[in-house]
Amino acid sequence: MSLKNIKIGFALTGSFCTFEKTIEQMENLVKLGAEVIPIMSYNSYNLDTKFGKASDHIDKIKQITGKDIIHTIQEAEPIGPKKMTDIMLICPCSGNTIAKLANGITDTPVAMATKSHLRNQRPVVIGISTNDALSGSAENIGKLLNRRHYYFVPFRQDNPITKPTSLVFDSKMIIETIEKALEAEQIQPIIL
Protein backbone atom coordinates (compact mmCIF):
# COMPACT_ATOMS: atom_id res chain seq x y z
CA MET A 1 0.00 0.00 0.00
CA SER A 2 1.24 3.48 -0.81
CA LEU A 3 1.30 6.09 1.94
CA LYS A 4 1.61 8.92 -0.55
CA ASN A 5 -0.73 11.77 0.45
CA ILE A 6 -2.06 9.84 3.46
CA LYS A 7 -2.63 12.31 6.30
CA ILE A 8 -1.07 10.86 9.45
CA GLY A 9 -1.60 12.47 12.83
CA PHE A 10 1.67 11.60 14.59
CA ALA A 11 1.35 12.07 18.34
CA LEU A 12 4.21 11.75 20.83
CA THR A 13 3.70 11.28 24.56
CA GLY A 14 6.15 11.18 27.45
CA SER A 15 8.19 8.01 26.90
CA PHE A 16 11.25 10.09 26.10
CA CYS A 17 13.69 7.17 25.81
CA THR A 18 12.06 6.20 22.49
CA PHE A 19 11.97 9.66 20.88
CA GLU A 20 15.05 9.13 18.73
CA LYS A 21 13.74 6.02 17.01
CA THR A 22 10.21 7.44 16.84
CA ILE A 23 11.33 10.65 15.14
CA GLU A 24 13.41 8.57 12.72
CA GLN A 25 10.22 6.76 11.63
CA MET A 26 8.44 10.10 11.30
CA GLU A 27 11.10 11.09 8.80
CA ASN A 28 10.66 7.79 6.93
CA LEU A 29 6.91 8.40 6.63
CA VAL A 30 7.54 11.84 5.12
CA LYS A 31 10.01 10.30 2.66
CA LEU A 32 7.26 7.87 1.61
CA GLY A 33 5.06 10.83 0.72
CA ALA A 34 2.78 10.87 3.76
CA GLU A 35 1.59 14.18 5.13
CA VAL A 36 2.58 14.04 8.80
CA ILE A 37 0.70 16.28 11.22
CA PRO A 38 2.74 16.41 14.45
CA ILE A 39 1.02 16.40 17.84
CA MET A 40 2.72 16.42 21.23
CA SER A 41 1.47 15.94 24.77
CA TYR A 42 2.06 18.72 27.28
CA ASN A 43 5.01 16.85 28.81
CA SER A 44 6.66 15.84 25.55
CA TYR A 45 6.37 19.43 24.30
CA ASN A 46 7.67 21.09 27.48
CA LEU A 47 10.03 18.82 29.41
CA ASP A 48 13.78 18.56 29.03
CA THR A 49 15.06 15.12 30.02
CA LYS A 50 18.27 13.12 29.96
CA PHE A 51 17.13 12.04 26.47
CA GLY A 52 17.21 15.58 25.08
CA LYS A 53 15.85 19.08 25.27
CA ALA A 54 12.23 19.67 24.34
CA SER A 55 13.21 22.55 22.05
CA ASP A 56 15.59 20.27 20.11
CA HIS A 57 12.86 17.66 19.57
CA ILE A 58 10.40 20.35 18.53
CA ASP A 59 12.85 21.89 16.06
CA LYS A 60 13.64 18.51 14.51
CA ILE A 61 9.96 17.55 14.18
CA LYS A 62 9.09 20.90 12.59
CA GLN A 63 12.01 20.53 10.19
CA ILE A 64 10.94 16.99 9.17
CA THR A 65 7.23 17.74 8.76
CA GLY A 66 7.34 21.37 7.70
CA LYS A 67 4.46 21.99 10.10
CA ASP A 68 3.83 23.58 13.47
CA ILE A 69 3.17 21.09 16.24
CA ILE A 70 -0.31 20.74 17.69
CA HIS A 71 0.33 20.97 21.44
CA THR A 72 -2.85 22.31 23.04
CA ILE A 73 -6.36 20.93 23.44
CA GLN A 74 -7.76 23.86 21.48
CA GLU A 75 -5.48 23.11 18.51
CA ALA A 76 -6.33 19.38 18.62
CA GLU A 77 -10.12 19.65 18.76
CA PRO A 78 -10.68 20.53 15.05
CA ILE A 79 -8.86 17.39 13.82
CA GLY A 80 -12.08 15.40 13.52
CA PRO A 81 -14.53 18.06 12.35
CA LYS A 82 -12.08 19.23 9.66
CA LYS A 83 -11.15 15.61 8.74
CA MET A 84 -7.47 16.52 9.07
CA THR A 85 -6.24 12.92 9.48
CA ASP A 86 -6.73 9.58 7.72
CA ILE A 87 -5.00 7.73 10.56
CA MET A 88 -3.66 8.63 14.01
CA LEU A 89 -0.37 7.20 15.29
CA ILE A 90 0.43 7.65 18.98
CA CYS A 91 4.06 6.69 19.30
CA PRO A 92 5.44 6.52 21.89
CA CYS A 93 2.20 5.98 23.79
CA SER A 94 2.74 6.09 27.55
CA GLY A 95 0.72 4.18 30.12
CA ASN A 96 -0.78 7.50 31.19
CA THR A 97 -2.14 8.16 27.70
CA ILE A 98 -3.36 4.58 27.34
CA ALA A 99 -5.32 5.02 30.60
CA LYS A 100 -6.86 8.25 29.31
CA LEU A 101 -7.89 6.67 25.99
CA ALA A 102 -9.26 3.52 27.64
CA ASN A 103 -11.35 5.52 30.11
CA GLY A 104 -12.55 8.44 27.98
CA ILE A 105 -10.43 11.13 29.63
CA THR A 106 -9.74 14.04 27.27
CA ASP A 107 -7.51 16.42 29.21
CA THR A 108 -4.40 16.50 26.99
CA PRO A 109 -3.70 17.46 23.36
CA VAL A 110 -3.05 13.82 22.40
CA ALA A 111 -6.23 12.51 24.06
CA MET A 112 -8.28 15.27 22.40
CA ALA A 113 -6.63 14.69 19.02
CA THR A 114 -7.46 10.99 19.25
CA LYS A 115 -11.04 11.54 20.41
CA SER A 116 -11.60 14.08 17.65
CA HIS A 117 -10.03 11.80 15.03
CA LEU A 118 -12.17 8.82 16.14
CA ARG A 119 -15.40 10.67 15.48
CA ASN A 120 -14.73 9.84 11.82
CA GLN A 121 -14.26 6.12 12.64
CA ARG A 122 -10.73 6.12 11.33
CA PRO A 123 -7.87 3.97 12.68
CA VAL A 124 -5.67 4.77 15.65
CA VAL A 125 -2.28 3.02 15.92
CA ILE A 126 -0.65 2.67 19.33
CA GLY A 127 3.13 2.32 19.77
CA ILE A 128 3.15 1.30 23.42
CA SER A 129 6.06 2.27 25.64
CA THR A 130 5.52 2.02 29.37
CA ASN A 131 7.26 0.48 32.37
CA ASP A 132 3.99 -0.76 33.90
CA ALA A 133 2.40 -2.44 30.85
CA LEU A 134 2.31 -5.86 32.49
CA SER A 135 1.05 -4.49 35.79
CA GLY A 136 -0.91 -1.24 36.31
CA SER A 137 -1.51 -0.51 32.61
CA ALA A 138 -2.42 -4.08 31.60
CA GLU A 139 -6.17 -3.62 32.09
CA ASN A 140 -6.21 -0.45 29.97
CA ILE A 141 -4.16 -2.06 27.21
CA GLY A 142 -6.66 -4.91 27.21
CA LYS A 143 -9.53 -2.45 26.82
CA LEU A 144 -7.93 -0.87 23.76
CA LEU A 145 -7.01 -4.25 22.24
CA ASN A 146 -10.74 -5.03 22.27
CA ARG A 147 -11.97 -1.67 21.00
CA ARG A 148 -12.83 -0.92 17.39
CA HIS A 149 -10.47 1.27 15.38
CA TYR A 150 -7.43 0.64 17.66
CA TYR A 151 -4.37 -1.18 16.33
CA PHE A 152 -1.04 -1.86 18.01
CA VAL A 153 2.50 -1.72 16.68
CA PRO A 154 3.97 -5.11 17.64
CA PHE A 155 5.66 -4.94 21.03
CA ARG A 156 7.95 -6.91 23.33
CA GLN A 157 9.24 -6.81 26.85
CA ASP A 158 11.69 -3.95 27.12
CA ASN A 159 14.11 -5.52 29.61
CA PRO A 160 12.61 -8.49 31.46
CA ILE A 161 15.43 -8.62 34.04
CA THR A 162 15.54 -5.03 35.34
CA LYS A 163 12.07 -3.90 34.12
CA PRO A 164 9.92 -7.06 34.24
CA THR A 165 6.59 -5.27 33.58
CA SER A 166 7.81 -2.97 30.78
CA LEU A 167 6.71 -3.20 27.13
CA VAL A 168 8.00 -1.27 24.13
CA PHE A 169 6.94 -1.10 20.47
CA ASP A 170 9.16 -2.30 17.62
CA SER A 171 9.97 0.89 15.70
CA LYS A 172 10.77 -1.05 12.51
CA MET A 173 7.14 -2.22 12.41
CA ILE A 174 5.49 1.22 12.51
CA ILE A 175 5.06 1.70 8.77
CA GLU A 176 3.76 -1.81 8.14
CA THR A 177 1.34 -1.47 11.07
CA ILE A 178 -0.01 1.78 9.61
CA GLU A 179 -0.48 0.14 6.20
CA LYS A 180 -2.42 -2.77 7.74
CA ALA A 181 -4.51 -0.49 9.98
CA LEU A 182 -5.56 1.54 6.94
CA GLU A 183 -7.00 -1.76 5.66
CA ALA A 184 -8.73 -2.34 9.05
CA GLU A 185 -6.35 -5.17 9.91
CA GLN A 186 -4.17 -5.75 12.98
CA ILE A 187 -0.66 -6.76 11.99
CA GLN A 188 0.40 -10.13 13.41
CA PRO A 189 2.05 -11.26 15.54
CA ILE A 190 1.34 -8.44 17.93
CA ILE A 191 3.62 -9.77 20.68
CA LEU A 192 7.21 -10.36 19.60
Side-chain angles (χ1 to χ4, degrees), residues 35-187:
E35 179 185 345
V36 174
I37 298 149
I39 304 157
M40 294 179 84
S41 68
Y42 293 131
N43 288 339
S44 64
Y45 192 81
N46 291 301
L47 296 180
D48 295 336
T49 71
K50 66 182 180 180
F51 300 104
K53 295 177 107 180
S55 60
D56 291 341
H57 295 307
I58 290 165
D59 290 345
K60 187 163 190 175
I61 290 167
K62 286 168 106 174
Q63 177 189 8
I64 290 167
T65 64
K67 297 184 182 316
D68 288 331
I69 297 168
I70 293 171
H71 63 96
T72 68
I73 290 173
Q74 296 91 328
E75 293 168 338
E77 192 279 329
I79 287 173
K82 291 185 177 180
K83 294 186 167 62
M84 294 170 59
T85 50
D86 298 311
I87 189 165
M88 181 72 62
L89 170 66
I90 308 169
C91 188
C93 188
S94 65
N96 185 52
T97 298
I98 287 169
K100 290 174 186 296
L101 298 175
N103 294 289
I105 300 168
T106 314
D107 62 352
T108 67
V110 173
M112 175 55 82
T114 306
K115 176 184 175 182
S116 187
H117 166 82
L118 280 168
R119 75 185 282 167
N120 298 314
Q121 299 186 18
R122 293 178 177 173
V124 175
V125 173
I126 303 287
I128 190 169
S129 183
T130 182
N131 287 332
D132 73 342
L134 298 174
S135 58
S137 288
E139 179 181 356
N140 293 321
I141 292 166
K143 286 179 182 179
L144 294 183
L145 282 167
N146 284 293
R147 201 165 284 169
R148 285 186 65 201
H149 308 298
Y150 280 93
Y151 303 88
F152 280 75
V153 177
F155 51 82
R156 64 175 51 88
Q157 279 189 281
D158 184 12
N159 182 338
I161 304 302
T162 62
K163 298 191 289 184
T165 63
S166 183
L167 292 177
V168 67
F169 65 93
D170 182 342
S171 65
K172 295 181 193 101
M173 301 294 292
I174 290 171
I175 293 170
E176 192 175 351
T177 304
I178 290 170
E179 292 170 339
K180 291 284 190 188
L182 285 165
E183 297 172 353
E185 191 177 327
Q186 172 62 59
I187 194 170

